[in-house]
Amino acid sequence: MQIFRIISAILIIFLLNTATSALAANQSPAVTGLQMHPSWDLDGDTINDCELDDTCDHTIDYSKPRMSPATPSFDCNKAQLNSSEIMVCKDPRLSILDRKLNQVFRAAKFKVEDTNLPTLKAEQRGWIKGRDDCWKAEDHQQCVYKSYLFRIAELQAWYRLVPANGPVRYLCEGTPKKEVDATFFVTDPPTLIAEYQDSPALMYIQPSGSGAKYQGRNETFWEHQGEAMITWGYDAVEMRCKIMP
């Protein structure tokens, strides 16, 4: 009788431990506190992928399967015919970029201060209008593709969502009044944010025969063999700059 009780106790403990382990395996340490569907853990580390890049969104039910990366972030049934959105819906490459931009935009919103959130949203609406105007371009599809690439890189750089190198300080024309700080970001395409006289500017890398050349709206930065040629402003005079020790 005593042996039977001991065996029964061992069996109960074993069943409880098994149930606890199974429950723990199905629990997600994600910020939602809900069960996590395996599709949200592509690297198999039991941590929701969104936690690794600060893109977790409380409006998403992480217990449900993740949508295919080739599915846009918007409803294709509501897209207008012959629009840029229809093109995105039909092109898996553009659909993937649309979902990536959606994730990057959410990450930017997470970092931005509440007072600046309306500005970020307004800028995004302006970008959407620019993307939709790509129908005027000679190559509609390529225009939309580049529009996504540049917007993703822009948000990643401004909101420090990717690794960066810098700031690197350059002394221009040998005078402290003309110092330029440049931070280089690992985006696609590569970008830098330079600051000159309390004015920041975002620039994208450009093809060049030598060195690294970046172009902004009215600014250029061309570094070659330890020196940089920088222009700041429309029709401005080029400045010769060197890295400060």
Side-chain angles (χ1 to χ4, degrees):
M1 190 68 176
Q2 184 69 20
I3 294 176
F4 177 78
R5 290 177 180 175
I6 294 174
I7 294 174
S8 298
I10 293 174
L11 180 60
I12 291 174
I13 293 173
F14 173 78
L15 292 175
L16 286 174
N17 288 337
T18 301
T20 302
S21 299
L23 180 61
N26 288 326
Q27 292 295 323
S28 165
V31 293
T32 57
L34 300 174
Q35 286 187 337
M36 177 180 64
H37 191 273
S39 61
W40 293 99
D41 181 26
L42 298 181
D43 56 4
D45 63 355
T46 72
I47 298 176
N48 194 318
D49 296 334
C50 71
E51 293 189 70
L52 302 179
D53 54 11
D54 292 329
T55 60
C56 292
D57 186 343
H58 73 280
T59 63
I60 294 177
D61 185 352
Y62 291 108
S63 66
K64 295 181 179 179
R66 187 201 298 242
M67 294 181 65
S68 167
T71 303
S73 63
F74 54 86
D75 187 352
C76 288
N77 294 322
K78 297 180 181 180
Q80 296 181 356
L81 293 176
N82 301 320
S83 67
S84 293
E85 285 191 344
I86 285 293
M87 179 176 290
V88 172
C89 291
K90 292 182 177 180
D91 187 333
R93 181 182 64 163
L94 295 179
S95 295
I96 290 172
L97 284 178
D98 183 81
R99 292 201 67 81
K100 182 175 181 179
L101 175 58
N102 184 260
Q103 293 176 347
V104 170
F105 181 69
R106 291 205 311 268
K109 287 198 300 182
F110 179 79
K111 285 198 169 186
V112 74
E113 297 180 1
D114 291 342
T115 54
N116 295 327
L117 185 57
T119 300
L120 174 62
K121 291 181 176 179
E123 290 173 348
Q124 187 69 3
R125 289 193 297 270
W127 172 82
I128 292 174
K129 184 179 183 302
R131 178 205 63 184
D132 292 344
D133 282 344
C134 275
W135 67 269
K136 302 174 184 177
E138 183 175 346
D139 190 334
H140 185 180
Q141 190 172 35
Q142 187 66 8
C143 176
V144 173
Y145 176 73
K146 287 186 176 181
S147 180
Y148 273 102
L149 278 186
F150 279 66
R151 181 56 175 163
I152 290 170
E154 178 184 19
L155 290 173
Q156 289 176 329
W158 278 124
Y159 294 95
R160 296 343 193 230
L161 302 176
V162 293
N165 178 27
V168 180
R169 179 158 293 181
Y170 294 83
L171 180 66
C172 302
E173 304 302 333
T175 172
K177 293 182 179 180
K178 294 184 177 181
E179 292 180 359
V180 176
D181 289 335
T183 303
F184 303 83
F185 295 90
V186 185
T187 55
D188 180 19
T191 53
L192 71 78
I193 292 179
E195 185 169 341
Y196 176 59
Q197 296 180 346
D198 296 325
S199 176
L202 173 72
M203 307 184 207
Y204 300 89
I205 200 165
Q206 304 293 319
S208 65
S210 60
K213 184 177 182 180
Y214 294 80
Q215 177 71 51
R217 181 169 298 179
N218 293 307
E219 305 82 18
T220 61
F221 179 100
W222 195 345
E223 186 177 37
H224 180 60
Q225 296 183 348
E227 291 189 349
M229 304 303 295
I230 302 174
T231 59
W232 202 275
Y234 178 74
D235 204 25
V237 177
E238 191 173 59
M239 300 183 294
R240 185 179 296 273
C241 311
K242 292 185 178 181
I243 296 178
M244 296 182 63

